Amino acid sequence: MAASSSTQTSGRTQVGIVGAGPAGLFLAHLLRRQGIDCVVLESRSRAEIEDTIRAGVLEQWVVDLMNQMGLGDRMMREGHFHSGITLRFNGESHHIDMAGLTGGKRVTVYAQHEVIRDLVAALLEDGGEIVFGVSDVQLHGVESDRPSIAFRRMPDGPLEALRCDYIAGCDGFHGPSRQAIPKSVRNEFQVVYPFGWLGILTEAPPSHPELIYSNHERGFALLSTRSPEVQRLYIQCDPKDDIANWSDDRIWSELHARLEDRDGWTLTEGPVFQKGIIAMRSFVCEPMRHGRLFLAGDAAHIVPPTGAKGLNLAVADVLVLSRALAAFYKSGRTDGLEAYSAVCLRRVWKAERFSWYMTTMLHRNPAETPFEQRVHLADLDYVVSSQAAMTALAENYVGLPMD
Ligand code: RFL
Ligand code: PHB
């Protein structure tokens, strides 16, 4: 479909990027470093994207990439670098020495909205273009060699068209990009879990020097951090539950019950200043490319957060895409663009497998039989007692190699 004749043309760029999440912003930085022109269209305001609470854990190669790109200064000052994680089950704690098992790779806790703040500030400072608050975004001509993105800058403003060579659909799970691939071409794979996470931010000092993932008979719990003053905690809950049913007292009582073990360690409480419930799913759309449209990040795939993989996977996609686009603009080669979907999907499916494995092993699923539940506990017991199994968990958690 060509852009409608009532559309006012607003400009032209080489790569039109829909969405200023981690995928869209990393892509813009990577392209501009290769001298490739791009414009980012984002439906929310700068304040909204900079304040949305989401991921916490970065894989080692993402930390290295941010540093190589000159974007890592604040992360290196304010991030938290842990050498391992703790797994808790049957009332006992087991340390997994990630760094020791992976040749020194660490667990970096640096919140997604801090990454977003750093990337937005650096992009705008460098003369990059992000149009915030756009609406009515529609992708046109993705099967042609003249694709365009229609959008409005203001809700009742004119429909404009951004003409481009390629479109990167980085607009998350609910964005319009994936829908621009005809249904007959799309193959979608999905698991919806019968549980969700209730997440809180609390003003309290850290209770423990590293993350704790706990499988408890009352359900999963996770202890993470944000800063010396703010901690992030999660508990498994009914995804359809109303957050109004969860008083702070009830949340703390569940956290104490699920996280404290037999060794006398206790959790430090503080005022809760943010809380919410999220549902969990695994989802993959194949292929990730259609004509001149390339999907990246949550637009193409979702993982449950137990493996801490979603943001990292979004960055992996756009690194592959930026290399393929650089090869095209430098020497006219299209093999990288043609291989994009297959190359990304190999990593995506490994992250899907790991995230599904961590999720099923660590949660209590009321739909599972007692047999299945015992198998998950046996899996945990195996992981903490076998060097081979522990190494497999560690190398997936800190991030599989990118090259
Ligand atoms: P995003 O971050 O959803 O960004 C998409 C952007 O597109 C915009 N958009 C549009 N823009 C223009 N026009 C439209 N029509 C648009 N529709 C949408 C949106 O406003 C948004 O700004 O996708 P992206 O870039 O692919 O990044 C994916 C990550 O955000 C996500 O995978 C992670 O947050 C997942 N995740 C974790 N990932 C990790 O790697 N490590 C973690 O520790 C981790 N923990 C988590 C997580 C996600 C969580 N939640 C809330 C789902 C913990 C949680 C609780
Ligand atoms: C977080 O700190 O938000 C976090 C940590 C580990 C996860 C998911 C989220 O697996």
Side-chain angles (χ1 to χ4, degrees), residues 18-24 41-44 49 53-58 112 134 137 170-176 197 232 234 278-279 296-299 303 305 308-314:
V18 189
L41 302 176
E42 166 58 51
S43 55
R44 293 184 297 158
I49 66 164
I53 307 297
R54 289 185 86 173
V57 176
L58 304 180
Q112 176 166 334
V134 300
V137 170
C170 302
D171 45 0
F173 185 66
H174 300 287
W197 277 11
R232 180 76 164 144
Y234 298 98
I278 57 147
D298 281 12
V303 284
K309 287 280 155 272
L311 181 160
N312 296 293
L313 215 43

mmCIF file of all heavy atoms in Angstrom, residues 18-24 41-44 49 53-58 112 134 137 170-176 197 232 234 278-279 296-299 303 305 308-314, ligand 1:
data_model
loop_
_atom_site.group_PDB
_atom_site.id
_atom_site.type_symbol
_atom_site.label_atom_id
_atom_site.label_comp_id
_atom_site.label_asym_id
_atom_site.label_seq_id
_atom_site.Cartn_x
_atom_site.Cartn_y
_atom_site.Cartn_z
ATOM 1 N N VAL A 18 10.562 2.749 14.496
ATOM 2 C CA VAL A 18 9.323 2.936 15.266
ATOM 3 C C VAL A 18 9.580 2.448 16.686
ATOM 4 O O VAL A 18 9.807 1.253 16.900
ATOM 5 C CB VAL A 18 8.144 2.147 14.648
ATOM 6 C CG1 VAL A 18 6.831 2.552 15.334
ATOM 7 C CG2 VAL A 18 8.052 2.372 13.154
ATOM 8 N N GLY A 19 9.565 3.373 17.662
ATOM 9 C CA GLY A 19 9.720 2.992 19.066
ATOM 10 C C GLY A 19 11.068 3.382 19.642
ATOM 11 O O GLY A 19 12.118 3.088 19.062
ATOM 12 N N ALA A 20 11.030 4.086 20.788
ATOM 13 C CA ALA A 20 12.263 4.497 21.476
ATOM 14 C C ALA A 20 12.425 3.719 22.779
ATOM 15 O O ALA A 20 12.630 4.290 23.847
ATOM 16 C CB ALA A 20 12.252 5.998 21.738
ATOM 17 N N GLY A 21 12.312 2.383 22.687
ATOM 18 C CA GLY A 21 12.682 1.515 23.812
ATOM 19 C C GLY A 21 14.159 1.164 23.632
ATOM 20 O O GLY A 21 14.855 1.761 22.796
ATOM 21 N N PRO A 22 14.636 0.175 24.375
ATOM 22 C CA PRO A 22 16.040 -0.225 24.209
ATOM 23 C C PRO A 22 16.387 -0.586 22.759
ATOM 24 O O PRO A 22 17.435 -0.177 22.259
ATOM 25 C CB PRO A 22 16.158 -1.444 25.129
ATOM 26 C CG PRO A 22 15.101 -1.240 26.163
ATOM 27 C CD PRO A 22 13.967 -0.544 25.471
ATOM 28 N N ALA A 23 15.504 -1.316 22.060
ATOM 29 C CA ALA A 23 15.807 -1.728 20.673
ATOM 30 C C ALA A 23 15.986 -0.504 19.776
ATOM 31 O O ALA A 23 17.000 -0.356 19.087
ATOM 32 C CB ALA A 23 14.706 -2.649 20.138
ATOM 33 N N GLY A 24 15.002 0.396 19.782
ATOM 34 C CA GLY A 24 15.036 1.549 18.887
ATOM 35 C C GLY A 24 16.190 2.492 19.191
ATOM 36 O O GLY A 24 16.864 2.990 18.277
ATOM 37 N N LEU A 41 10.545 7.400 15.844
ATOM 38 C CA LEU A 41 9.187 7.882 16.142
ATOM 39 C C LEU A 41 8.691 7.163 17.388
ATOM 40 O O LEU A 41 8.668 5.929 17.418
ATOM 41 C CB LEU A 41 8.248 7.580 14.967
ATOM 42 C CG LEU A 41 8.648 8.185 13.612
ATOM 43 C CD1 LEU A 41 7.673 7.714 12.525
ATOM 44 C CD2 LEU A 41 8.668 9.709 13.677
ATOM 45 N N GLU A 42 8.288 7.901 18.409
ATOM 46 C CA GLU A 42 7.891 7.294 19.696
ATOM 47 C C GLU A 42 6.523 7.835 20.108
ATOM 48 O O GLU A 42 6.310 9.052 20.112
ATOM 49 C CB GLU A 42 8.958 7.605 20.756
ATOM 50 C CG GLU A 42 8.562 7.338 22.197
ATOM 51 C CD GLU A 42 8.155 5.890 22.490
ATOM 52 O OE1 GLU A 42 8.900 4.970 22.151
ATOM 53 O OE2 GLU A 42 7.058 5.707 23.079
ATOM 54 N N SER A 43 5.620 6.926 20.492
ATOM 55 C CA SER A 43 4.256 7.372 20.808
ATOM 56 C C SER A 43 4.145 8.027 22.190
ATOM 57 O O SER A 43 3.233 8.806 22.434
ATOM 58 C CB SER A 43 3.277 6.194 20.707
ATOM 59 O OG SER A 43 3.710 5.153 21.531
ATOM 60 N N ARG A 44 5.073 7.729 23.100
ATOM 61 C CA ARG A 44 4.963 8.313 24.435
ATOM 62 C C ARG A 44 5.865 9.539 24.569
ATOM 63 O O ARG A 44 6.673 9.829 23.694
ATOM 64 C CB ARG A 44 5.309 7.257 25.490
ATOM 65 C CG ARG A 44 4.276 6.129 25.527
ATOM 66 C CD ARG A 44 4.569 5.137 26.635
ATOM 67 N NE ARG A 44 5.826 4.469 26.446
ATOM 68 C CZ ARG A 44 6.526 3.881 27.426
ATOM 69 N NH1 ARG A 44 6.076 3.911 28.658
ATOM 70 N NH2 ARG A 44 7.665 3.268 27.167
ATOM 71 N N ILE A 49 8.798 7.555 28.869
ATOM 72 C CA ILE A 49 9.728 6.433 28.601
ATOM 73 C C ILE A 49 10.867 6.414 29.617
ATOM 74 O O ILE A 49 11.393 5.366 29.937
ATOM 75 C CB ILE A 49 10.276 6.392 27.148
ATOM 76 C CG1 ILE A 49 11.165 7.589 26.818
ATOM 77 C CG2 ILE A 49 9.174 6.257 26.120
ATOM 78 C CD1 ILE A 49 12.010 7.360 25.573
ATOM 79 N N ILE A 53 9.183 1.679 34.845
ATOM 80 C CA ILE A 53 10.017 0.713 35.580
ATOM 81 C C ILE A 53 9.913 -0.651 34.910
ATOM 82 O O ILE A 53 8.831 -1.222 34.810
ATOM 83 C CB ILE A 53 9.540 0.589 37.056
ATOM 84 C CG1 ILE A 53 9.459 1.963 37.726
ATOM 85 C CG2 ILE A 53 10.416 -0.383 37.846
ATOM 86 C CD1 ILE A 53 10.760 2.699 37.845
ATOM 87 N N ARG A 54 11.050 -1.174 34.450
ATOM 88 C CA ARG A 54 11.044 -2.504 33.836
ATOM 89 C C ARG A 54 12.275 -3.289 34.256
ATOM 90 O O ARG A 54 12.460 -3.555 35.425
ATOM 91 C CB ARG A 54 10.924 -2.396 32.319
ATOM 92 C CG ARG A 54 9.534 -1.938 31.908
ATOM 93 C CD ARG A 54 9.354 -1.944 30.433
ATOM 94 N NE ARG A 54 8.938 -3.242 29.920
ATOM 95 C CZ ARG A 54 8.582 -3.446 28.671
ATOM 96 N NH1 ARG A 54 8.573 -2.464 27.803
ATOM 97 N NH2 ARG A 54 8.222 -4.645 28.268
ATOM 98 N N ALA A 55 13.138 -3.604 33.267
ATOM 99 C CA ALA A 55 14.221 -4.554 33.518
ATOM 100 C C ALA A 55 15.280 -4.055 34.485
ATOM 101 O O ALA A 55 15.384 -2.859 34.757
ATOM 102 C CB ALA A 55 14.885 -4.895 32.190
ATOM 103 N N GLY A 56 16.100 -5.012 34.959
ATOM 104 C CA GLY A 56 17.175 -4.658 35.866
ATOM 105 C C GLY A 56 18.541 -5.207 35.482
ATOM 106 O O GLY A 56 19.549 -4.589 35.767
ATOM 107 N N VAL A 57 18.561 -6.374 34.825
ATOM 108 C CA VAL A 57 19.840 -7.071 34.658
ATOM 109 C C VAL A 57 20.363 -6.988 33.222
ATOM 110 O O VAL A 57 19.640 -7.292 32.271
ATOM 111 C CB VAL A 57 19.690 -8.555 35.068
ATOM 112 C CG1 VAL A 57 20.985 -9.323 34.822
ATOM 113 C CG2 VAL A 57 19.297 -8.666 36.537
ATOM 114 N N LEU A 58 21.624 -6.586 33.080
ATOM 115 C CA LEU A 58 22.265 -6.518 31.765
ATOM 116 C C LEU A 58 23.274 -7.649 31.623
ATOM 117 O O LEU A 58 24.028 -7.936 32.566
ATOM 118 C CB LEU A 58 22.992 -5.181 31.591
ATOM 119 C CG LEU A 58 22.167 -3.911 31.774
ATOM 120 C CD1 LEU A 58 23.042 -2.677 31.567
ATOM 121 C CD2 LEU A 58 21.000 -3.881 30.778
ATOM 122 N N GLN A 112 16.536 -0.469 33.496
ATOM 123 C CA GLN A 112 16.245 -0.145 32.091
ATOM 124 C C GLN A 112 15.979 1.342 31.900
ATOM 125 O O GLN A 112 16.430 1.935 30.925
ATOM 126 C CB GLN A 112 15.032 -0.973 31.633
ATOM 127 C CG GLN A 112 14.580 -0.665 30.228
ATOM 128 C CD GLN A 112 13.636 -1.714 29.691
ATOM 129 O OE1 GLN A 112 13.652 -2.863 30.113
ATOM 130 N NE2 GLN A 112 12.794 -1.348 28.757
ATOM 131 N N VAL A 134 4.100 10.773 19.075
ATOM 132 C CA VAL A 134 3.411 10.606 17.776
ATOM 133 C C VAL A 134 2.181 9.708 17.953
ATOM 134 O O VAL A 134 2.105 8.912 18.893
ATOM 135 C CB VAL A 134 4.345 10.004 16.692
ATOM 136 C CG1 VAL A 134 5.553 10.901 16.446
ATOM 137 C CG2 VAL A 134 4.788 8.592 17.057
ATOM 138 N N VAL A 137 0.374 5.846 13.998
ATOM 139 C CA VAL A 137 1.520 5.340 13.218
ATOM 140 C C VAL A 137 1.066 4.174 12.319
ATOM 141 O O VAL A 137 0.438 3.222 12.783
ATOM 142 C CB VAL A 137 2.651 4.894 14.171
ATOM 143 C CG1 VAL A 137 3.741 4.142 13.424
ATOM 144 C CG2 VAL A 137 3.230 6.097 14.904
ATOM 145 N N CYS A 170 10.527 -1.416 16.187
ATOM 146 C CA CYS A 170 11.066 -1.595 17.554
ATOM 147 C C CYS A 170 10.009 -1.124 18.549
ATOM 148 O O CYS A 170 10.344 -0.506 19.559
ATOM 149 C CB CYS A 170 12.342 -0.770 17.719
ATOM 150 S SG CYS A 170 13.634 -1.185 16.547
ATOM 151 N N ASP A 171 8.735 -1.383 18.252
ATOM 152 C CA ASP A 171 7.637 -0.773 19.007
ATOM 153 C C ASP A 171 7.002 -1.705 20.031
ATOM 154 O O ASP A 171 5.843 -1.522 20.406
ATOM 155 C CB ASP A 171 6.584 -0.203 18.044
ATOM 156 C CG ASP A 171 6.241 -1.155 16.924
ATOM 157 O OD1 ASP A 171 6.813 -2.262 16.876
ATOM 158 O OD2 ASP A 171 5.396 -0.807 16.081
ATOM 159 N N GLY A 172 7.767 -2.708 20.504
ATOM 160 C CA GLY A 172 7.270 -3.530 21.603
ATOM 161 C C GLY A 172 6.169 -4.486 21.188
ATOM 162 O O GLY A 172 5.763 -4.548 20.020
ATOM 163 N N PHE A 173 5.662 -5.228 22.173
ATOM 164 C CA PHE A 173 4.701 -6.298 21.877
ATOM 165 C C PHE A 173 3.378 -5.776 21.308
ATOM 166 O O PHE A 173 2.753 -6.418 20.475
ATOM 167 C CB PHE A 173 4.444 -7.101 23.160
ATOM 168 C CG PHE A 173 3.558 -8.296 22.949
ATOM 169 C CD1 PHE A 173 3.990 -9.357 22.175
ATOM 170 C CD2 PHE A 173 2.292 -8.353 23.518
ATOM 171 C CE1 PHE A 173 3.180 -10.469 21.962
ATOM 172 C CE2 PHE A 173 1.470 -9.455 23.321
ATOM 173 C CZ PHE A 173 1.916 -10.516 22.541
ATOM 174 N N HIS A 174 2.940 -4.583 21.778
ATOM 175 C CA HIS A 174 1.621 -4.081 21.372
ATOM 176 C C HIS A 174 1.686 -3.090 20.214
ATOM 177 O O HIS A 174 0.647 -2.563 19.803
ATOM 178 C CB HIS A 174 0.926 -3.419 22.574
ATOM 179 C CG HIS A 174 0.725 -4.369 23.719
ATOM 180 N ND1 HIS A 174 -0.219 -5.366 23.684
ATOM 181 C CD2 HIS A 174 1.378 -4.496 24.902
ATOM 182 C CE1 HIS A 174 -0.147 -6.068 24.812
ATOM 183 N NE2 HIS A 174 0.822 -5.553 25.559
ATOM 184 N N GLY A 175 2.862 -2.820 19.666
ATOM 185 C CA GLY A 175 2.991 -1.828 18.594
ATOM 186 C C GLY A 175 2.452 -2.337 17.263
ATOM 187 O O GLY A 175 2.162 -3.530 17.110
ATOM 188 N N PRO A 176 2.332 -1.432 16.282
ATOM 189 C CA PRO A 176 1.735 -1.806 14.993
ATOM 190 C C PRO A 176 2.659 -2.551 14.023
ATOM 191 O O PRO A 176 2.181 -3.142 13.055
ATOM 192 C CB PRO A 176 1.333 -0.449 14.392
ATOM 193 C CG PRO A 176 2.264 0.542 15.016
ATOM 194 C CD PRO A 176 2.600 0.011 16.382
ATOM 195 N N TRP A 197 3.812 -11.579 38.101
ATOM 196 C CA TRP A 197 4.696 -11.055 39.143
ATOM 197 C C TRP A 197 4.093 -9.787 39.713
ATOM 198 O O TRP A 197 3.651 -8.909 38.958
ATOM 199 C CB TRP A 197 6.062 -10.685 38.574
ATOM 200 C CG TRP A 197 7.030 -11.810 38.425
ATOM 201 C CD1 TRP A 197 6.786 -13.139 38.539
ATOM 202 C CD2 TRP A 197 8.428 -11.678 38.099
ATOM 203 N NE1 TRP A 197 7.933 -13.854 38.311
ATOM 204 C CE2 TRP A 197 8.955 -12.989 38.042
ATOM 205 C CE3 TRP A 197 9.280 -10.600 37.846
ATOM 206 C CZ2 TRP A 197 10.308 -13.232 37.743
ATOM 207 C CZ3 TRP A 197 10.605 -10.848 37.552
ATOM 208 C CH2 TRP A 197 11.120 -12.162 37.503
ATOM 209 N N ARG A 232 14.379 -3.618 44.735
ATOM 210 C CA ARG A 232 13.335 -4.110 43.838
ATOM 211 C C ARG A 232 13.037 -5.551 44.232
ATOM 212 O O ARG A 232 13.963 -6.385 44.308
ATOM 213 C CB ARG A 232 13.867 -4.055 42.397
ATOM 214 C CG ARG A 232 12.902 -4.539 41.329
ATOM 215 C CD ARG A 232 11.843 -3.533 41.045
ATOM 216 N NE ARG A 232 11.122 -3.779 39.811
ATOM 217 C CZ ARG A 232 9.819 -3.540 39.674
ATOM 218 N NH1 ARG A 232 9.109 -3.079 40.689
ATOM 219 N NH2 ARG A 232 9.231 -3.748 38.517
ATOM 220 N N TYR A 234 10.069 -8.965 43.889
ATOM 221 C CA TYR A 234 8.932 -9.514 43.154
ATOM 222 C C TYR A 234 8.390 -10.743 43.881
ATOM 223 O O TYR A 234 9.162 -11.506 44.465
ATOM 224 C CB TYR A 234 9.358 -9.997 41.763
ATOM 225 C CG TYR A 234 9.912 -8.938 40.830
ATOM 226 C CD1 TYR A 234 11.292 -8.770 40.679
ATOM 227 C CD2 TYR A 234 9.077 -8.131 40.058
ATOM 228 C CE1 TYR A 234 11.811 -7.828 39.802
ATOM 229 C CE2 TYR A 234 9.596 -7.193 39.168
ATOM 230 C CZ TYR A 234 10.969 -7.041 39.052
ATOM 231 O OH TYR A 234 11.488 -6.118 38.178
ATOM 232 N N ILE A 278 2.346 -7.745 36.733
ATOM 233 C CA ILE A 278 2.513 -8.003 35.296
ATOM 234 C C ILE A 278 2.204 -9.473 34.987
ATOM 235 O O ILE A 278 2.471 -10.359 35.798
ATOM 236 C CB ILE A 278 3.935 -7.666 34.773
ATOM 237 C CG1 ILE A 278 5.000 -8.452 35.540
ATOM 238 C CG2 ILE A 278 4.218 -6.186 34.827
ATOM 239 C CD1 ILE A 278 6.198 -8.818 34.702
ATOM 240 N N ALA A 279 1.638 -9.701 33.805
ATOM 241 C CA ALA A 279 1.373 -11.064 33.333
ATOM 242 C C ALA A 279 2.645 -11.586 32.658
ATOM 243 O O ALA A 279 3.559 -10.808 32.361
ATOM 244 C CB ALA A 279 0.221 -11.040 32.354
ATOM 245 N N ALA A 296 12.402 -5.949 15.702
ATOM 246 C CA ALA A 296 13.471 -6.166 16.688
ATOM 247 C C ALA A 296 12.906 -6.042 18.096
ATOM 248 O O ALA A 296 12.005 -5.248 18.350
ATOM 249 C CB ALA A 296 14.596 -5.150 16.483
ATOM 250 N N GLY A 297 13.451 -6.818 19.034
ATOM 251 C CA GLY A 297 13.044 -6.742 20.441
ATOM 252 C C GLY A 297 11.665 -7.320 20.675
ATOM 253 O O GLY A 297 11.222 -8.258 19.985
ATOM 254 N N ASP A 298 10.960 -6.731 21.667
ATOM 255 C CA ASP A 298 9.654 -7.261 22.076
ATOM 256 C C ASP A 298 8.621 -7.233 20.946
ATOM 257 O O ASP A 298 7.591 -7.909 21.039
ATOM 258 C CB ASP A 298 9.098 -6.453 23.267
ATOM 259 C CG ASP A 298 9.720 -6.852 24.610
ATOM 260 O OD1 ASP A 298 10.721 -7.582 24.606
ATOM 261 O OD2 ASP A 298 9.191 -6.418 25.653
ATOM 262 N N ALA A 299 8.850 -6.474 19.891
ATOM 263 C CA ALA A 299 7.923 -6.484 18.740
ATOM 264 C C ALA A 299 7.903 -7.880 18.112
ATOM 265 O O ALA A 299 6.899 -8.308 17.536
ATOM 266 C CB ALA A 299 8.358 -5.445 17.705
ATOM 267 N N VAL A 303 9.831 -12.785 26.401
ATOM 268 C CA VAL A 303 10.235 -13.850 27.331
ATOM 269 C C VAL A 303 9.706 -13.487 28.720
ATOM 270 O O VAL A 303 9.630 -12.306 29.051
ATOM 271 C CB VAL A 303 11.776 -13.996 27.398
ATOM 272 C CG1 VAL A 303 12.338 -14.701 26.182
ATOM 273 C CG2 VAL A 303 12.474 -12.654 27.614
ATOM 274 N N PRO A 305 10.182 -12.708 32.576
ATOM 275 C CA PRO A 305 11.381 -12.019 33.085
ATOM 276 C C PRO A 305 12.303 -12.848 33.978
ATOM 277 O O PRO A 305 13.361 -12.355 34.367
ATOM 278 C CB PRO A 305 10.802 -10.820 33.845
ATOM 279 C CG PRO A 305 9.410 -11.195 34.176
ATOM 280 C CD PRO A 305 8.944 -12.142 33.120
ATOM 281 N N ALA A 308 15.826 -12.835 32.896
ATOM 282 C CA ALA A 308 16.409 -11.493 32.702
ATOM 283 C C ALA A 308 16.976 -11.331 31.289
ATOM 284 O O ALA A 308 18.098 -10.867 31.100
ATOM 285 C CB ALA A 308 17.466 -11.215 33.763
ATOM 286 N N LYS A 309 16.202 -11.715 30.292
ATOM 287 C CA LYS A 309 16.721 -11.759 28.929
ATOM 288 C C LYS A 309 16.139 -10.717 27.959
ATOM 289 O O LYS A 309 16.738 -10.449 26.910
ATOM 290 C CB LYS A 309 16.445 -13.159 28.309
ATOM 291 C CG LYS A 309 17.316 -14.236 28.861
ATOM 292 C CD LYS A 309 18.704 -14.238 28.238
ATOM 293 C CE LYS A 309 19.754 -14.858 29.117
ATOM 294 N NZ LYS A 309 20.411 -13.948 30.058
ATOM 295 N N GLY A 310 14.942 -10.156 28.220
ATOM 296 C CA GLY A 310 14.215 -9.392 27.200
ATOM 297 C C GLY A 310 14.968 -8.206 26.626
ATOM 298 O O GLY A 310 15.100 -8.059 25.401
ATOM 299 N N LEU A 311 15.487 -7.350 27.489
ATOM 300 C CA LEU A 311 16.206 -6.163 27.014
ATOM 301 C C LEU A 311 17.469 -6.595 26.262
ATOM 302 O O LEU A 311 17.801 -6.059 25.202
ATOM 303 C CB LEU A 311 16.565 -5.296 28.221
ATOM 304 C CG LEU A 311 17.305 -3.983 28.014
ATOM 305 C CD1 LEU A 311 17.099 -3.118 29.247
ATOM 306 C CD2 LEU A 311 18.787 -4.149 27.795
ATOM 307 N N ASN A 312 18.151 -7.576 26.834
ATOM 308 C CA ASN A 312 19.397 -8.053 26.228
ATOM 309 C C ASN A 312 19.169 -8.605 24.823
ATOM 310 O O ASN A 312 19.965 -8.398 23.914
ATOM 311 C CB ASN A 312 20.009 -9.121 27.142
ATOM 312 C CG ASN A 312 20.417 -8.544 28.493
ATOM 313 O OD1 ASN A 312 21.334 -7.741 28.569
ATOM 314 N ND2 ASN A 312 19.706 -8.914 29.557
ATOM 315 N N LEU A 313 18.054 -9.287 24.663
ATOM 316 C CA LEU A 313 17.711 -9.855 23.350
ATOM 317 C C LEU A 313 17.386 -8.745 22.346
ATOM 318 O O LEU A 313 17.723 -8.837 21.158
ATOM 319 C CB LEU A 313 16.479 -10.749 23.554
ATOM 320 C CG LEU A 313 16.332 -12.017 22.752
ATOM 321 C CD1 LEU A 313 17.611 -12.801 22.634
ATOM 322 C CD2 LEU A 313 15.218 -12.872 23.359
ATOM 323 N N ALA A 314 16.748 -7.692 22.843
ATOM 324 C CA ALA A 314 16.427 -6.545 21.976
ATOM 325 C C ALA A 314 17.723 -5.922 21.450
ATOM 326 O O ALA A 314 17.833 -5.579 20.261
ATOM 327 C CB ALA A 314 15.610 -5.512 22.765
HETATM 328 P P1 RFL B 1 9.854 -1.667 24.596
HETATM 329 O O1 RFL B 1 10.758 -1.391 25.752
HETATM 330 O O2 RFL B 1 8.475 -2.121 24.864
HETATM 331 O O3 RFL B 1 9.825 -0.348 23.714
HETATM 332 C C1 RFL B 1 8.911 -0.177 22.662
HETATM 333 C C2 RFL B 1 8.694 1.319 22.483
HETATM 334 O O4 RFL B 1 7.814 1.483 21.368
HETATM 335 C C3 RFL B 1 6.844 2.454 21.693
HETATM 336 N N1 RFL B 1 5.652 2.274 20.861
HETATM 337 C C4 RFL B 1 5.396 3.036 19.778
HETATM 338 N N2 RFL B 1 6.070 4.039 19.230
HETATM 339 C C5 RFL B 1 5.525 4.645 18.120
HETATM 340 N N3 RFL B 1 4.318 4.249 17.603
HETATM 341 C C6 RFL B 1 3.607 3.249 18.144
HETATM 342 N N4 RFL B 1 2.429 2.897 17.638
HETATM 343 C C7 RFL B 1 4.149 2.585 19.279
HETATM 344 N N5 RFL B 1 3.717 1.560 20.065
HETATM 345 C C8 RFL B 1 4.646 1.381 21.011
HETATM 346 C C9 RFL B 1 6.591 2.249 23.173
HETATM 347 O O5 RFL B 1 6.032 3.407 23.786
HETATM 348 C C10 RFL B 1 7.994 1.931 23.686
HETATM 349 O O6 RFL B 1 8.679 3.100 24.115
HETATM 350 O O7 RFL B 1 10.511 -2.762 23.616
HETATM 351 P P2 RFL B 1 12.029 -3.078 23.258
HETATM 352 O O8 RFL B 1 12.776 -1.854 22.853
HETATM 353 O O9 RFL B 1 11.979 -4.225 22.336
HETATM 354 O O10 RFL B 1 12.705 -3.541 24.654
HETATM 355 C C11 RFL B 1 12.274 -4.716 25.285
HETATM 356 C C12 RFL B 1 12.451 -4.568 26.809
HETATM 357 O O11 RFL B 1 11.817 -3.387 27.237
HETATM 358 C C13 RFL B 1 11.898 -5.791 27.576
HETATM 359 O O12 RFL B 1 12.207 -6.974 26.897
HETATM 360 C C14 RFL B 1 12.473 -5.875 29.009
HETATM 361 O O13 RFL B 1 11.943 -4.844 29.830
HETATM 362 C C15 RFL B 1 12.172 -7.234 29.629
HETATM 363 N N6 RFL B 1 12.634 -7.349 31.027
HETATM 364 C C16 RFL B 1 13.951 -7.665 31.304
HETATM 365 N N7 RFL B 1 14.853 -7.747 30.309
HETATM 366 C C17 RFL B 1 16.165 -7.951 30.610
HETATM 367 O O14 RFL B 1 16.984 -8.057 29.668
HETATM 368 N N8 RFL B 1 16.633 -8.062 31.893
HETATM 369 C C18 RFL B 1 15.772 -7.977 32.958
HETATM 370 O O15 RFL B 1 16.211 -8.018 34.104
HETATM 371 C C19 RFL B 1 14.377 -7.804 32.678
HETATM 372 N N9 RFL B 1 13.499 -7.687 33.684
HETATM 373 C C20 RFL B 1 11.732 -7.184 32.087
HETATM 374 C C21 RFL B 1 12.198 -7.367 33.422
HETATM 375 C C22 RFL B 1 10.400 -6.818 31.872
HETATM 376 C C23 RFL B 1 9.544 -6.654 32.941
HETATM 377 N N10 RFL B 1 8.218 -6.245 32.668
HETATM 378 C C24 RFL B 1 7.663 -5.086 33.246
HETATM 379 C C25 RFL B 1 7.565 -6.820 31.530
HETATM 380 C C26 RFL B 1 11.342 -7.221 34.499
HETATM 381 C C27 RFL B 1 10.002 -6.880 34.260
HETATM 382 C C28 RFL B 1 9.104 -6.778 35.466
#
